């Protein structure tokens, strides 16, 4: 039974998109810099890189936690649902499944999916000319949550790193926001710390719950790749191909990527895996 | 370029719609006899709310007009304004012409400083942020979406109407032919919880920034929020429930004993008159 600290982000409004572990790590590191300064941030990055890891954010509803659809289950849907096409279709449409379903899916057993506690919506916005009051309408995407719904992420590592850096950073980020359009109130939340238990099988493979940059490309078993970029202090970060959440890997911790953007400091991208044991289909190994 | 962080000032309270309020949304479907102009609603609950972007945009636009009208006076105080003159670039037809309303955004003209340093020395961009052509200046103000208060949610649960369909008619000036349309608006009296967060980055600028923020809120009270304001829609009033200062030490330790609050103020005017109560929370030695 894997026991993890979980940080619930109880939303005060919408969020631009569900943040991955790369975004969460960047936000936490920036928050640590705001609170403690640059020297302490370097210490945090060093300690985090060696000893700790975080998952991407996933939705929750009340006490029900959702996790990404593991790719080994996706590859075995026909066997898991014994050819029942309607169930296969229903499962395929969900990027996240409840924790109890996840525990069955990583054992390649039949599971039940549920409606997700959020919606992706387009919100109309208007900009007004300051002189003539001419209006111009445009749209922004946002993720909005059901009542009692929100996001959480998992932490695995030493308690002192958690208490000294992660908790203050989340208190700060709650009042500062995470993701885009924070000044419109997107991404504000109230942090709450709890624990999540994942019943992991004694499998010979792992599902990663964060985007990872593998140390050894032979460690990939079933994977999806996305190029993850972004901005740092006005400089565009090169897009780094990362293996996405739900991918199945051999034992590989992933690694922190150092980027030199010509800034007075190095920029770090969190490519560490958040592995949860799973059973891989025999023919995939 | 440098940034520091001393803490956050949280202003919490209620916005009361004194007249019908219309912040528009797109119609998903057209139905015969349906509302022509619906208000924006939470997709899960179906209840109307005030988007943070609407509130922040309105505060900024009113403050920009104020600064433009006092530009000659303010140039001495804010060196970021020294290259601007009054007016809009629209007449000249190009961006960065030196006019105060210098940026074309989605076909409308607004004011945005182009560099971090200019924005830092501009009362508008320092407070509300600037996505500059050369470098950004992050906004010191965050305005959260304002959702209905519990009292008004309860009224809705009991079946009370939160929005009304207001019929309006355009009359042909020659034939007197009527052209009716329906506009949905939040009923007068409805209350929303608001939260405005100001990040303290420079102790010498706190009082100035907070004064400007509160002044913009006062300007809004005597203007309107949302659409059709010149026809009486969108008069709002802020009720200030709590002003709290969360210093950096709170974020370091999580100790809520470090949070300092002022008394409750019945209006923005009263708070503005007692701005030193807030400033003294941040700078206790008056330093």
């Amino acid at each position: 039974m894997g026991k993890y600290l979980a940080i619930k982000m109880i939303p005060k409004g919408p969020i631009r998109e569900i943040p991955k572990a790369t975004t969460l790590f960047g936000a936490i590191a920036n928050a640590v810099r705001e609170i403690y300064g640059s020297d302490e941030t370097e210490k945090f990055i060093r300690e985090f890189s060696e000893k700790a890891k975080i998952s991407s954010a996933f939705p929750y509803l009340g006490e029900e936690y959702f996790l990404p659809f593991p790719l080994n289950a996706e590859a075995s849907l026909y066997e898991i649902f014994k050819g029942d096409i309607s169930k296969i279709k229903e499962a395929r449409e969900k990027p996240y499944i409840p924790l109890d379903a996840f525990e069955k899916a990583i054992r390649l057993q039949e599971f039940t999916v549920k409606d997700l506690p959020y919606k992706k919506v387009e919100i109309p916005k208007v900009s007004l000319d300051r002189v003539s009051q001419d209006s111009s309408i445009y749209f922004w995407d946002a993720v909005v949550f059901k009542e009692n719904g929100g996001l959480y992420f998992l932490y695995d590592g030493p308690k002192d790193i958690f208490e000294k850096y992660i908790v203050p950073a989340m208190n700060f980020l709650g009042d500062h926001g995470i993701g885009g359009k924070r000044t419109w109130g997107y991404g504000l939340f109230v942090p709450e710390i709890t624990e999540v238990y994942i019943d992991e099988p004694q499998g010979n493979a792992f599902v990663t719950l964060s985007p990872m940059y593998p140390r050894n490309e032979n460690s990939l078993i079933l994977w999806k790749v996305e190029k993850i970029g972004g901005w740092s202090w006005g400089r565009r970060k090169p897009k780094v191909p990362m293996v996405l959440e739900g991918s199945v890997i051999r034992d590989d911790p992933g690694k922190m990527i150092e980027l030199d953007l010509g800034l007075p400091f190095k920029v770090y991208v969190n490519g560490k895996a958040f592995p949860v044991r799973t059973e891989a289909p025999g023919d995939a190994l | 370029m440098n940034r520091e962080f001393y803490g956050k000032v949280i202003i919490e309270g209620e916005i009361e719609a004194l007249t019908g309020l219309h912040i528009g949304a797109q119609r998903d479907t057209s139905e015969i006899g349906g509302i022509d102009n619906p208000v924006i609603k939470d997709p899960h609950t179906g209840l109307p709310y005030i988007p943070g972007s609407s509130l922040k945009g309105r505060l900024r636009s009113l403050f920009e007009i104020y600064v433009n009208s006092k530009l000659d006076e303010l140039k001495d105080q804010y060196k970021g304004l020294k290259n601007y003159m009054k007016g809009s670039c629209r007449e000249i037809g190009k961006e960065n012409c030196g006019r105060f309303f210098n940026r074309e955004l989605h076909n409308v003209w607004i004011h945005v400083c182009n560099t971090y340093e200019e924005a830092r020395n501009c009362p508008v961009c320092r407070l509300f942020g600037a996505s500059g052509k050369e470098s950004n200046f992050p906004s010191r103000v965050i305005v959260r979406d304002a959702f209905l208060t519990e009292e008004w949610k309860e009224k809705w649960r009991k079946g009370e109407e939160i929005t009304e369909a207001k019929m309006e008619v355009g009359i042909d000036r020659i034939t007197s032919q009527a052209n009716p349309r329906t506009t949905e608006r939040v009923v007068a009296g409805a209350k929303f919880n608001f939260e405005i967060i100001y990040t303290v980055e420079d102790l010498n600028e706190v009082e100035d920034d907070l004064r400007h923020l509160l002044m913009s809120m006062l300007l809004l009270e005597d203007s309107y929020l949302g659409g059709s304001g010149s026809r009486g829609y969108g008069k709002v009033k802020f009720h200030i429930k709590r002003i709290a200062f969360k210093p950096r030490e709170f974020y370091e330790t999580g100790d809520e004993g470090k949070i300092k609050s002022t008394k409750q103020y019945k209006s923005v005017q009263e708070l503005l008159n007692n701005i030193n109560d807030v400033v003294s929370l941040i700078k206790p030695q008056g330093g």
Side-chain angles (χ1 to χ4, degrees):
Chain A
M1 181 78 81
K3 174 182 154 187
Y4 303 100
L5 282 165
I7 299 93
K8 270 181 159 175
M9 298 184 280
I10 303 164
K12 288 183 174 180
I15 190 166
R16 191 85 166 89
E17 54 191 23
I18 296 178
K20 294 183 179 299
T22 44
T23 305
L24 288 172
F25 175 76
I28 290 169
N30 275 306
V32 169
R33 186 186 53 78
E34 293 271 11
I35 300 167
Y36 296 114
S38 301
D39 291 346
E40 199 67 33
T41 310
E42 281 174 26
K43 197 173 157 202
F44 160 68
I45 292 171
R46 207 166 45 243
E47 290 194 13
F48 182 91
S49 304
E50 289 166 12
K51 303 172 194 165
K53 49 191 175 279
I54 53 171
S55 75
S56 293
F58 308 120
Y60 73 82
L61 182 66
E63 294 306 311
E64 183 152 61
Y65 298 93
F66 287 74
L67 285 161
F69 201 155
L71 286 192
N72 53 337
E74 192 176 308
S76 312
L77 277 178
Y78 197 82
E79 292 78 36
I80 289 174
F81 290 107
K82 300 170 187 73
D84 186 334
I85 299 298
S86 64
K87 283 187 175 172
I88 293 169
K89 274 187 171 174
E90 194 185 17
R92 237 185 214 141
E93 284 165 5
K94 306 282 188 229
Y96 302 106
I97 53 177
L99 173 59
D100 58 344
F102 178 83
E103 289 170 341
K104 287 181 180 161
I106 55 180
R107 290 178 168 79
L108 305 179
Q109 296 168 358
E110 189 170 344
F111 56 90
T112 311
V113 297
K114 283 195 175 164
D115 282 342
L116 296 171
Y118 69 88
K119 272 186 192 169
K120 286 186 176 175
V121 292
E122 271 191 343
I123 299 179
K125 303 280 174 193
V126 174
S127 53
L128 284 180
D129 189 291
R130 301 307 191 244
V131 180
S132 64
Q133 297 283 293
D134 287 342
S135 60
S136 173
I137 193 163
Y138 59 102
F139 291 88
W140 279 102
D141 291 340
V143 176
V144 293
F145 298 95
K146 281 185 185 168
E147 207 162 356
N148 297 324
L151 294 172
Y152 77 99
F153 67 92
L154 300 173
Y155 170 85
D156 190 19
K159 205 150 190 183
D160 57 335
I161 295 180
F162 185 76
E163 283 171 356
K164 182 165 183 194
Y165 298 110
I166 307 288
V167 174
M170 295 315 291
N171 283 332
F172 174 87
L173 290 170
D175 288 337
H176 185 78
I178 203 163
K181 289 297 165 203
R182 295 189 291 273
T183 68
W184 290 350
Y186 281 41
L188 295 176
F189 60 89
V190 177
E192 187 181 287
I193 294 157
T194 182
E195 285 176 342
V196 167
Y197 298 87
I198 302 178
D199 187 8
E200 300 172 29
Q202 290 301 314
N204 43 10
F206 300 85
V207 168
T208 180
L209 301 183
S210 64
M212 73 169 290
Y213 192 86
R215 289 180 185 225
N216 176 3
E217 63 187 39
N218 293 326
S219 61
L220 304 180
I221 300 172
L222 293 163
W223 69 96
K224 276 184 185 167
V225 176
E226 188 177 293
K227 287 183 176 175
I228 296 178
W231 292 81
S232 185
W233 287 77
R235 305 279 170 93
R236 187 182 274 283
K237 289 192 280 195
K239 287 193 169 181
V240 180
M242 307 269 267
V243 176
L244 289 184
E245 305 92 331
S247 295
V248 181
I249 55 173
R250 293 186 177 84
D251 196 4
D252 184 335
K255 64 179 178 185
M256 197 70 84
I257 305 161
E258 277 183 39
L259 299 175
D260 187 349
L261 302 183
L263 292 164
F265 45 84
K266 288 238 169 72
V267 171
Y268 293 86
V269 179
N270 176 23
K272 294 188 72 179
F274 195 103
V276 169
R277 277 190 184 278
T278 184
E279 285 170 9
D283 56 354
L285 285 169
Chain B
M1 277 195 214
N2 187 27
R3 284 188 79 190
E4 292 184 0
F5 173 67
Y6 294 94
K8 286 175 182 283
V9 178
I10 321 271
I11 306 173
E12 288 172 313
E14 291 176 356
I15 302 177
E16 183 180 1
L18 298 181
T19 62
L21 173 68
H22 174 85
I23 297 174
Q26 289 287 99
R27 268 188 313 175
D28 289 335
T29 51
S30 295
E31 35 185 70
I32 295 166
I35 293 267
D36 295 318
N37 301 302
V39 297
I40 192 158
K41 297 187 185 95
D42 183 296
H44 285 295
T45 61
L47 290 170
Y49 70 102
I50 300 172
S53 58
S54 299
L55 191 50
K56 187 180 177 222
R58 196 72 181 116
L59 295 173
R60 180 178 183 131
S61 72
L62 291 165
F63 187 49
E64 280 182 19
I65 293 165
Y66 167 85
V67 172
N68 180 52
S69 56
K70 293 195 66 171
L71 200 53
D72 295 335
E73 269 178 64
L74 292 171
K75 272 183 184 179
D76 295 334
Q77 203 180 336
Y78 300 98
K79 58 185 180 190
L81 298 177
K82 71 177 189 301
N83 294 322
Y84 294 116
M85 55 182 170
K86 288 182 183 181
S88 162
C89 281
R90 185 205 310 268
E91 292 156 21
I92 296 175
K94 61 174 185 177
E95 286 191 58
N96 303 322
C97 59
R99 301 273 177 175
F100 184 69
F101 298 117
N102 61 340
R103 175 71 61 82
E104 192 174 18
L105 178 76
H106 309 295
N107 303 319
V108 301
W109 289 90
I110 65 170
H111 166 74
V112 181
C113 286
N114 286 315
T115 67
Y116 180 93
E117 283 308 324
E118 262 184 56
R120 170 139 207 180
N121 289 293
C122 163
V124 176
C125 297
R126 188 170 88 189
L127 193 56
F128 293 104
S131 42
K133 291 232 178 268
E134 292 167 42
S135 51
N136 293 336
F137 187 85
S139 172
R140 289 178 178 175
V141 169
I142 294 171
V143 184
R144 182 158 80 82
D145 284 354
F147 296 102
L148 278 176
T149 59
E150 273 309 313
E151 177 199 352
W152 276 81
K153 278 188 194 165
E154 191 53 37
K155 286 185 182 193
W156 174 75
R157 284 186 204 109
K158 286 180 178 165
E160 205 168 306
E161 294 290 345
I162 301 293
T163 60
E164 60 188 359
K166 182 173 177 293
M167 181 70 79
E168 295 186 347
V169 181
I171 306 278
D172 187 298
R173 302 304 191 250
I174 311 293
T175 64
S176 289
Q177 187 181 16
N179 178 25
R181 61 184 183 269
T182 48
T183 300
E184 188 181 30
R185 56 185 206 170
V186 176
V187 295
K191 286 182 180 166
F192 302 83
N193 290 314
F194 81 90
E195 183 178 277
I196 296 178
I197 300 169
Y198 169 77
T199 304
V200 182
E201 297 188 349
D202 188 324
L203 293 174
N204 295 320
E205 293 165 358
V206 169
E207 185 175 343
D208 214 24
D209 283 350
L210 286 174
R211 271 187 192 283
H212 291 154
L213 176 61
L214 295 172
M215 196 184 76
S216 304
M217 291 164 77
L218 267 187
L219 287 169
L220 177 58
E221 285 187 340
D222 286 339
S223 178
Y224 57 87
L225 185 61
S228 305
S230 69
R231 297 204 295 272
Y233 289 42
K235 181 173 171 61
V236 294
K237 182 167 175 57
F238 292 97
H239 301 277
I240 312 283
K241 297 270 182 195
R242 182 172 181 246
I243 311 267
F245 175 57
K246 293 184 176 178
R248 193 173 65 190
E249 295 77 44
F250 161 74
Y251 294 106
E252 283 171 3
T253 60
D255 177 2
E256 294 197 355
K258 305 270 182 201
I259 301 174
K260 292 181 265 182
S261 309
T262 65
K263 61 171 186 161
Q264 198 167 318
Y265 298 92
K266 62 175 184 247
S267 67
V268 177
Q269 178 72 61
E270 191 189 342
L271 175 57
L272 190 55
N273 291 342
N274 293 284
I275 187 85
N276 281 335
D277 293 356
V278 185
V279 176
S280 63
L281 298 180
I282 304 160
K283 299 196 288 184
Q285 281 86 40

